[in-house]
Amino acid sequence: MADNDFPGWHGTTIIGVRKGGKVVIAGDGQVSLGQTVIKGTARKVRRISPGGYDVVAGFAGSTADAFTLLERLETKLEGTPGQLQRASVELAKDWRTDKYLQKLEAMLIVSDGTELYVITGAGDVLEPEHDVTAIGSGGNYALAAGRALMDTDKDAEQIAREAMAIAADICVYTNGNLTVETISA
C-alpha cells in the first residue's frame, strides 16, 4: 500500500475540565483505521508520578508517539519536580527543535490538579481560557459541550462525562468507553 493510500489512524477524544479545585481528564477508547474500528477499549489517559508529584495526562494521535512524549515529559518533571509549567515548556521546546521529536504526531493534555495545559508539536503550551480543553477527532464537540456545561451546578467529572457522551453521539471516531482520572490541587 502506497503512503498516500493509507487511510490514516483516527479515533481519540480527550477532554480536560478544571472546576471546584479538581481537574478531570477523560478519554474515549476508540481507535479507528479508516472506516474500521480497530479497538474500542484503548486507554489514553494515564497518571504518572515523577519525583513523587502526581500528573494526569491524556493523549491524542499516534500511540507510540504519545508514549514517547509522556516519557520525555516524565523525564522533564523528574528534573523539575512539582513544576508542570516549566517541564511542559521544556518538552514543547524540545519537540519543536529536535529533528526526531518533530516527526511525532500526537498532542497531550496534562494537569497537576492546579495547572491544565495542552502541549503540541508546534511548540505550544496552551492553558484554556474557560477551564475546559479538548483534543482529538471529537475534541471540538467535547469542548463545545464542556463549555456549555461549565455554568451548571455539575462538578468537573460530571461535565467531562456528559461532554464525552455528546462527542460520542456526534463523532464517528469517538466511543463511550471512557477512562477518567481526577486530580486535586
Side-chain angles (χ1 to χ4, degrees), residues 20-170:
K22 293 182 181 176
V23 176
V24 172
I25 297 180
D28 77 315
Q30 184 165 313
V31 178
S32 304
L33 177 59
Q35 298 175 350
T36 304
V37 175
I38 301 297
K39 185 172 184 176
T41 58
R43 191 168 167 260
K44 304 169 201 167
V45 177
R46 308 258 185 221
R47 182 178 297 265
I48 58 176
S49 299
Y53 293 91
D54 281 348
V55 171
V56 174
F59 60 85
S62 166
T63 304
D65 292 356
F67 280 126
T68 298
L69 293 168
L70 284 174
E71 287 172 6
R72 295 280 182 128
L73 177 63
E74 200 163 7
T75 299
K76 297 290 183 189
L77 285 165
E78 287 169 355
T80 58
Q83 298 181 47
L84 180 60
Q85 182 179 32
R86 183 173 176 190
S88 297
V89 169
E90 290 299 317
L91 174 64
K93 285 186 344 190
D94 288 354
W95 194 354
R96 178 90 170 129
T97 58
D98 183 279
K99 288 184 181 190
Y100 167 73
L101 293 178
Q102 285 177 355
K103 296 177 182 174
L104 299 182
E105 296 181 6
M107 293 177 75
L108 301 172
I109 294 178
V110 298
S111 179
D112 60 2
T114 303
E115 300 169 309
L116 176 64
Y117 299 114
V118 174
I119 309 172
T120 76
D124 300 314
V125 177
L126 307 168
E127 186 171 17
E129 290 182 340
H130 304 284
D131 291 328
V132 179
T133 192
I135 57 175
S137 302
N140 288 336
Y141 306 117
L143 177 63
R147 293 239 346 242
L149 292 165
M150 283 298 284
D151 290 333
T152 67
D153 60 351
K154 297 179 185 310
D155 66 19
E157 183 171 344
Q158 291 170 316
I159 292 169
R161 286 183 181 278
E162 287 189 32
M164 289 296 290
I166 291 168
D169 283 347
I170 297 170

Side-chain angles (χ1 to χ4, degrees), residues 9-31:
W9 295 98
H10 292 282
T12 298
T13 302
I14 305 292
I15 189 169
V17 178
R18 178 175 45 205
K19 187 174 182 182
K22 293 182 181 176
V23 176
V24 172
I25 297 180
D28 77 315
Q30 184 165 313
V31 178

